[in-house]
Amino acid sequence: MDIDPGAARAYRNRAVAHHIRGELELALADLDRAIELDPEYAAAHANRGVLRFELRDVEGASADIDRALELQPDDRDANVFRGRIDRHLGDVEAALEHYDRAIFIDSGYALAYAERALARIDAGDPQEAVSDAEQAIDLRPDQPDGHFAYALALAWLGRDREAVLQYDRALEIAPHDVRALGGRGRALMRLGEPLAALADAELLAELLPEGVNVAFRGAARAMAGDAAAARADFDRALTMIEDPEVSAATLEYRDEVLALYAPQQVTDEASGLAISLPWSWEYALARDMAPMDWYPGTRTEAEAEFADQLEFGLLLESRAFPPDVASFEWCELSDYTAYASGPAGWNALEDAAASYRHWYPEEPGNLGLETDFVELPLGR
């Protein structure tokens, strides 16, 4: 076939216009045609790689970017795009190498600094990420990428209030930047501003109605006090997510969030006391643990809060667990502590208190019987 570089460039240029308008399939067709006309057209391979990545064809994107770099190793854009794919695949070291290469090619390339900042965060070095993000902002304060990277680095450093300001700047430049919306919403949740977080979460779920974003909106709704809407969002999110690992993580997230912000109130039949329970025991069952196995407090803050809500170690009689005694290994000394409702349960709790005092005599105040229930420690 005769190569026609002029026609290939025309198809590539039209593809760029389609891409800008969000017409991804039309853009892909034009890039396919451009590469058919000129198989060594590096820019077309690079553009198609970016487009395939947006379409979640990671393998195809990798092949195109690699071909672009074979044809033109000093293409700064192709090096940045290769770094972006490497980050997605979890190869942070390779990503940093490509970002370093892009900056070596063009030391004034703001996007390369911004994306290297994100890779540095992935590598556990948010302080160095701050330096790269600041450089990106100095070079191109009119682009959102540096502000977003700076905000994310600040959030990792625990400086959420400053992070929100940088997210604000990114969103002033690009009001529909879904990365900045998600980041700012989560920062606002950590700052205890649920209504502001919910506004970001609602817009994010509208712009990008994916399962993880719907789940995030559910978390914001729970924190804002709308338990019914939160549960509906989580239910919908779980039907949208196909990846088993993401689905399991979302289920865990749901139970932690609802335990914190939308617990069910139930009454223990043995004591008559009201207990706050999580929306379901599915997470505990999936982890093959009894609910009270959450008590040592060695997991997340949300689980510790859940343990605190289950006042004095009462275990509701439920179809999911034996009605009298549920036990688990308390520590490496093979000391077992049992929790249950009913007379057998109270006897087990008394035994647990005596056993705990035996193993931990230096902490007599951590576990003690008070009338008919035991107060359990949240850690040791």
Side-chain angles (χ1 to χ4, degrees):
M1 184 188 72
D2 292 333
I3 293 176
D4 187 347
R9 281 194 297 273
Y11 276 106
R12 186 248 179 182
N13 291 339
R14 191 171 70 175
V16 170
H18 283 311
H19 196 174
I20 291 171
R21 291 196 294 266
E23 299 164 350
L24 303 188
E25 293 298 337
L26 292 175
L28 183 59
D30 276 348
L31 288 169
D32 287 344
R33 181 59 175 154
I35 291 169
E36 181 182 347
L37 291 170
D38 186 356
E40 297 190 357
Y41 192 4
H45 282 286
N47 289 141
R48 192 171 69 176
V50 174
L51 184 57
R52 281 177 163 172
F53 188 71
E54 289 186 29
L55 292 169
R56 302 189 179 183
D57 177 7
V58 180
E59 185 177 351
S62 296
D64 268 332
I65 296 297
D66 287 344
R67 178 60 176 151
L69 287 171
E70 286 177 11
L71 295 167
Q72 198 168 334
D74 290 338
D75 185 332
R76 64 172 198 173
D77 294 326
N79 275 284
V80 165
F81 297 148
R82 181 66 251 186
R84 190 178 298 173
I85 293 170
D86 290 333
R87 281 190 60 235
H88 176 79
L89 295 173
D91 192 345
V92 179
E93 184 176 345
L96 286 169
E97 289 177 0
H98 282 101
Y99 294 137
D100 289 345
R101 178 66 179 166
I103 291 169
F104 176 79
I105 295 165
D106 183 355
S107 61
Y109 191 20
L111 181 62
Y113 287 101
E115 297 226 3
R116 189 171 71 176
L118 299 178
R120 292 196 190 282
I121 293 171
D122 293 343
D125 194 356
Q127 195 60 60
E128 284 297 317
V130 166
S131 298
D132 270 345
E134 289 176 334
Q135 181 68 16
I137 293 170
D138 287 344
L139 290 166
R140 290 297 302 268
D142 59 323
Q143 291 182 345
D145 306 276
H147 297 289
F148 169 74
Y150 195 11
L152 192 60
L154 290 171
W156 272 87
L157 291 168
R159 295 157 61 182
D160 278 319
R161 183 60 63 192
E162 296 171 76
V164 167
L165 295 176
Q166 289 298 322
Y167 286 129
D168 287 346
R169 290 171 187 167
L171 289 164
E172 287 171 5
I173 300 166
H176 289 170
D177 188 320
V178 293
R179 305 169 305 165
L181 281 169
R184 186 174 69 177
R186 287 170 173 81
L188 288 167
M189 286 181 71
R190 291 191 295 270
L191 289 168
E193 300 180 23
L195 295 180
L198 180 56
D200 282 346
E202 287 177 335
L203 181 54
L204 176 62
E206 178 184 339
L207 293 171
L208 196 62
E210 298 180 344
V212 290
N213 294 333
V214 173
F216 172 51
R217 185 178 64 188
R221 283 175 167 171
M223 190 176 184
D226 192 347
R231 291 169 185 141
D233 268 344
F234 278 115
D235 288 345
R236 181 185 172 205
L238 288 168
T239 66
M240 298 170 70
I241 297 170
E242 297 180 358
D243 187 300
E245 291 186 6
V246 177
S247 180
T250 303
L251 183 62
E252 178 179 347
Y253 183 47
R254 180 198 70 177
D255 281 346
E256 289 178 353
V257 166
L258 294 179
L260 274 172
Y261 302 116
Q264 289 180 289
Q265 294 294 322
V266 296
T267 301
D268 178 71
E269 295 178 1
S271 65
L273 296 178
I275 311 173
S276 295
L277 293 176
W279 177 241
S280 78
W281 294 118
E282 293 175 51
Y283 169 58
L285 290 171
R287 294 275 294 275
D288 193 25
M289 64 173 77
M292 303 312 295
D293 193 14
W294 294 17
Y295 247 109
T298 56
R299 294 186 174 87
T300 67
E301 182 179 348
E303 289 167 346
E305 177 69 16
F306 163 59
D308 192 49
Q309 290 171 356
L310 282 172
E311 295 176 22
F312 305 116
L314 297 172
L315 176 64
L316 177 71
E317 289 187 13
S318 106
R319 61 183 176 81
F321 299 97
D324 287 328
V325 177
S327 65
F328 67 94
E329 187 171 348
W330 179 260
C331 68
E332 65 275 8
L333 297 173
S334 298
D335 175 26
Y336 286 80
T337 306
Y339 309 90
S341 57
W346 301 126
N347 291 336
L349 290 172
E350 291 176 359
D351 291 343
S355 181
Y356 186 89
R357 293 193 191 97
H358 171 74
W359 290 115
Y360 303 104
E362 72 280 4
E363 303 178 49
N366 279 0
L367 186 63
L369 288 171
E370 297 180 11
T371 64
D372 59 354
F373 39 73
V374 174
E375 182 175 2
L376 299 171
L378 290 180
R380 54 181 174 83

